[in-house]
């Protein structure tokens, strides 16, 4: 794992911005004459920026353990009144949306000056794209988690929380197998959590895998407060919680109510308004097994459509025009999907993970 730097963020933002410009120009200047140097220039700039982003991520400084907290004889830091919510991954969201919109853009490019059949094709692909975006949004939505964490943040701002002193342990991935939708198939769900130890007990703080790995590497062995909201009785299922390290880093996630219950019936602890806290360090996101496929699919699609952009869809045989754009759409879907599948299986490096395997009792 490597730290995000200004250079990695600049190159990453530039690559996404150039790709967005290239896609939007297909619709904004759909009747512009070929060759389309505006789109080709934007695609070339996106490729250069993406390459620079990958190199900058590989050259970024590695993430190491955080500096030690205060000496043992000093006073334990108080609870903060401000608990930052988890940051949204804007770059990943933007990149995913651009990839999903690319087949629609390629359809518009292949249509050229259009016709009835071309218009019907654009409408059909538009409907499919909208449905795909809505489905993806539902699949990755964290609205329930964020609403719970807002309760925790609000209670902290009001000055009282439930809390216990804990020490950071190891990161854990648990693979839970159950009966699949089709006969003879298994459905495997993966869960990730950070182990926190308190009074001989183990508490599980469930957060995304990259954040689990970052916390384990950066804060491993350090002590801090694990906090729950005062209004925990008004929250169903998993309870929102935040680990506040003595060094000031905050890791917010969910905990099992049964694990947390022994620490929820005591006296609330006051929070201090003057204590500064912060999120975990940002990571450079490039991963060769994941992004080589995603960037490779996008680059291949750009190369396949180059003849259409240079000659123009209206001056090419319509069969060749649609064939090239269809092949580009396939490459920009198949390879990135494989990269995203790899991302769901990969674990952040730099720290040893504990991997557990469990099964539904009915199939054990």
């Amino acid at each position: 794992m490597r730290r995000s730097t200004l250079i990695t963020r600049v190159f990453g933002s530039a690559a996404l911005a150039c790709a967005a410009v290239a896609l939007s120009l297909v619709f904004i200047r759909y009747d512009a004459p070929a060759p389309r140097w505006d789109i080709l220039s934007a695609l070339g700039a996106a490729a250069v920026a993406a390459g620079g982003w990958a190199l900058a991520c590989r050259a970024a400084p590695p993430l190491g353990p955080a500096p030690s907290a205060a000496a043992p004889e000093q006073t334990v830091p108080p609870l903060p009144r401000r608990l930052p919510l988890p940051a949204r991954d804007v770059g990943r969201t933007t990149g995913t949306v651009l990839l999903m919109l690319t087949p629609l853009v390629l359809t518009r490019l292949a249509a050229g000056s259009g016709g009835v059949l071309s218009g019907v094709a654009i409408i059909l692909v538009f409907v499919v794209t909208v449905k795909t975006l809505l489905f993806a949004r539902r699949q990755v939505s964290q609205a329930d988690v964020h609403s719970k964490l807002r309760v925790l943040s609000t209670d902290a701002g009001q000055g009282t929380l439930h809390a216990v002193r804990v020490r950071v342990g190891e990161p854990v991935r648990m693979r839970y197998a159950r009966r699949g939708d089709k006969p003879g198939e298994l459905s495997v769900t993966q869960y990730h959590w950070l182990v926190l130890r308190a009074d001989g007990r183990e508490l599980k703080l469930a957060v995304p895998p990259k954040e689990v790995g970052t916390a384990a590497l950066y804060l491993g062995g350090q002590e801090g407060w694990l906090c729950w909201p005062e209004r925990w009785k008004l929250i169903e299922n998993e309870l929102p919680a935040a680990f506040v390290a003595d060094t000031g880093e905050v890791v917010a996630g969910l905990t099992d109510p049964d694990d947390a219950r022994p620490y929820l019936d005591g006296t609330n602890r006051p929070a201090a308004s003057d204590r500064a806290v912060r999120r975990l360090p940002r990571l450079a996101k490039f991963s060769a097994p994941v992004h080589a496929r995603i960037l490779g699919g996008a680059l291949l699609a750009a190369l396949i459509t180059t003849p259409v952009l240079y000659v123009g869809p209206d001056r090419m045989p319509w069969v060749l025009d649609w064939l090239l754009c269809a092949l580009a759409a396939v490459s920009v879907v198949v390879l990135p999907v494989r990269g995203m599948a790899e991302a769901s299986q990969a674990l952040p490096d730099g720290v040893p993970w504990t991997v557990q395997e469990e099964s539904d009792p009915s199939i054990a």
Side-chain angles (χ1 to χ4, degrees):
M1 287 184 286
R2 296 182 178 273
R3 287 176 174 269
S4 173
T5 64
L6 177 62
I7 297 177
T8 62
R9 292 193 288 273
V10 168
F11 273 117
S13 300
L16 292 173
C18 292
V21 169
L23 296 181
S24 61
L25 284 173
V26 175
F27 281 93
I28 295 174
R29 302 188 64 211
Y30 65 91
D31 56 349
R36 295 298 304 270
W37 295 116
D38 52 350
I39 299 177
L40 290 170
S41 299
L43 290 175
V48 172
W53 171 72
L55 293 176
C57 289
R58 298 296 293 268
L63 179 71
S68 300
E73 65 271 16
Q74 296 184 3
T75 305
V76 172
L79 296 175
R81 275 183 176 266
R82 185 184 66 86
L83 288 176
L85 296 176
R88 299 181 185 274
D89 195 339
V90 178
R92 180 181 179 183
T93 301
T94 303
T96 302
V97 171
L98 290 178
L99 286 174
M100 290 184 176
L101 290 175
T102 301
L104 175 62
V105 174
L106 290 170
T107 304
R108 182 66 191 88
L109 177 63
S113 57
V116 176
L117 293 180
S118 297
V120 171
I122 293 174
I123 293 174
L124 290 176
V125 176
F126 174 78
V127 172
V128 172
T129 301
V130 171
K131 288 184 176 293
T132 303
L133 288 171
L134 293 175
F135 174 77
R137 184 176 182 272
R138 288 194 299 268
Q139 292 296 109
V140 302
S141 176
Q142 296 289 313
D144 182 59
V145 175
H146 281 276
S147 63
K148 291 182 177 182
L149 292 176
R150 276 193 292 270
V151 175
L152 175 62
S153 180
T154 302
D155 285 2
Q158 293 175 352
T160 53
L161 293 168
H162 295 282
V164 63
R165 294 288 295 174
V166 296
R167 181 183 293 273
V168 177
E170 67 277 7
V172 177
R173 164 182 278 182
M174 194 265 281
R175 292 166 48 88
Y176 189 81
R178 56 172 59 88
R179 188 180 293 108
D181 296 332
K182 297 181 180 179
E185 290 188 354
L186 284 177
S187 175
V188 178
T189 305
Q190 299 183 117
Y191 302 93
H192 304 83
W193 64 76
L194 181 67
V195 173
L196 302 172
R197 294 184 171 88
D199 304 327
R201 298 173 180 262
E202 286 192 357
L203 301 169
K204 304 172 183 176
L205 182 63
V207 290
K210 183 155 288 190
E211 198 164 346
V212 173
T214 304
L217 177 60
Y218 193 69
L219 302 174
Q222 296 208 24
E223 295 186 348
W225 292 104
L226 182 60
C227 314
W228 292 275
E230 182 181 9
R231 294 174 289 168
W232 65 273
K233 292 183 179 179
L234 303 179
I235 300 175
E236 294 183 346
N237 302 320
E238 294 87 359
L239 297 178
F243 171 71
V244 184
D246 291 345
T247 51
E249 286 77 18
V250 176
V251 185
L254 301 177
T255 56
D256 189 322
D258 294 333
D259 292 343
R261 206 171 304 280
Y263 308 103
L264 297 177
D265 294 330
T267 304
N268 292 350
R269 297 182 181 273
S273 59
D274 58 347
R275 186 184 177 193
V277 295
R278 54 196 172 274
R279 298 186 181 98
L280 289 172
R282 297 172 63 176
L283 296 180
K285 298 182 176 65
F286 179 77
S287 172
V290 176
H291 293 98
R293 293 179 172 88
I294 296 175
L295 297 178
L299 179 60
L300 180 60
L303 292 175
I304 292 174
T305 55
T306 297
V308 181
L309 294 170
Y310 184 79
V311 177
D314 294 330
R315 291 189 292 172
M316 292 184 68
W318 70 270
V319 175
L320 181 60
D321 172 27
W322 282 93
L323 177 61
L324 290 176
C325 289
L327 290 175
V330 170
S331 68
V332 87
V333 170
V334 173
L335 290 179
V337 165
R338 291 183 178 178
M340 293 175 185
E342 182 69 25
S344 66
Q345 300 296 325
L347 288 172
D349 57 1
V351 61
W353 283 73
T354 299
V355 180
Q356 300 177 0
E357 302 281 350
E358 294 188 12
S359 300
D360 188 301
S362 64
I363 63 173

